[in-house]
Amino acid sequence: MIKFFLMVNKQGQTRLSRYYEHVEINKRTMLEAEVIKNCLSRSKDQCSFIEYKDFKLVYRQYAALFVVVGINETENEMAVYELIHNFVEVLDKYFSRVVSETLNLLQNIFSLS
């Protein structure tokens, strides 16, 4: 099961976040900071799956954008890795380029649901 979905720039700023389990706001901030630090500090040669606390992180980098998904232990990492890629491909086709304005629009759409 997916616990959260983050899109982060190279400076470590969260551009889009969606949580599928309740997490208090102050804990979200700490969680995002730790997750971002773990993902951004890794080299391109390292695996894109990280065991973190009681869940796993799956991430992909697209230019200056990192997409990070937190999943539980039973979820298939490769399936989530492909899900991330498919999501970014759809954004790229629909918006022609995934840029910060697109992320702002997505944040507004996600906040409505």
Side-chain angles (χ1 to χ4, degrees):
M1 184 172 123
I2 295 176
K3 295 183 174 221
F4 60 85
F5 183 92
L6 301 174
M7 293 180 96
V8 180
N9 65 16
K10 271 191 172 177
Q11 290 76 35
Q13 298 168 322
T14 303
R15 304 299 298 149
L16 175 77
S17 66
R18 178 70 173 178
Y19 288 83
Y20 299 99
E21 293 181 344
H22 176 71
V23 180
E24 294 176 18
I25 294 295
N26 57 348
K27 290 186 180 179
R28 282 185 187 189
T29 306
M30 290 187 332
L31 174 71
E32 288 177 20
E34 291 174 16
V35 165
I36 291 167
K37 184 179 123 194
N38 280 331
C39 293
L40 268 62
S41 67
R42 296 174 64 86
S43 72
K44 290 186 178 193
D45 297 331
Q46 291 180 298
C47 181
S48 294
F49 312 141
I50 305 170
E51 290 193 24
Y52 177 77
K53 295 190 179 181
D54 62 337
F55 53 91
K56 297 177 188 176
L57 302 173
V58 179
Y59 71 94
R60 282 188 91 148
Q61 180 181 359
Y62 295 91
L65 184 69
F66 283 81
V67 181
V68 184
V69 179
I71 58 174
N72 65 7
E73 294 290 324
T74 61
E75 192 66 53
N76 183 331
E77 297 96 342
M78 285 303 294
V80 173
Y81 192 72
E82 279 300 309
L83 173 74
I84 293 169
H85 184 68
N86 289 336
F87 180 71
V88 172
E89 278 187 338
V90 168
L91 290 178
D92 187 50
K93 286 201 189 295
Y94 188 75
F95 294 105
S96 75
R97 264 184 28 172
V98 179
V99 292
S100 103
E101 291 82 25
T102 304
L103 297 176
N104 291 336
L105 174 67
L106 287 173
Q107 183 68 44
N108 290 336
I109 291 169
F110 280 152
S111 68
L112 295 175
S113 58

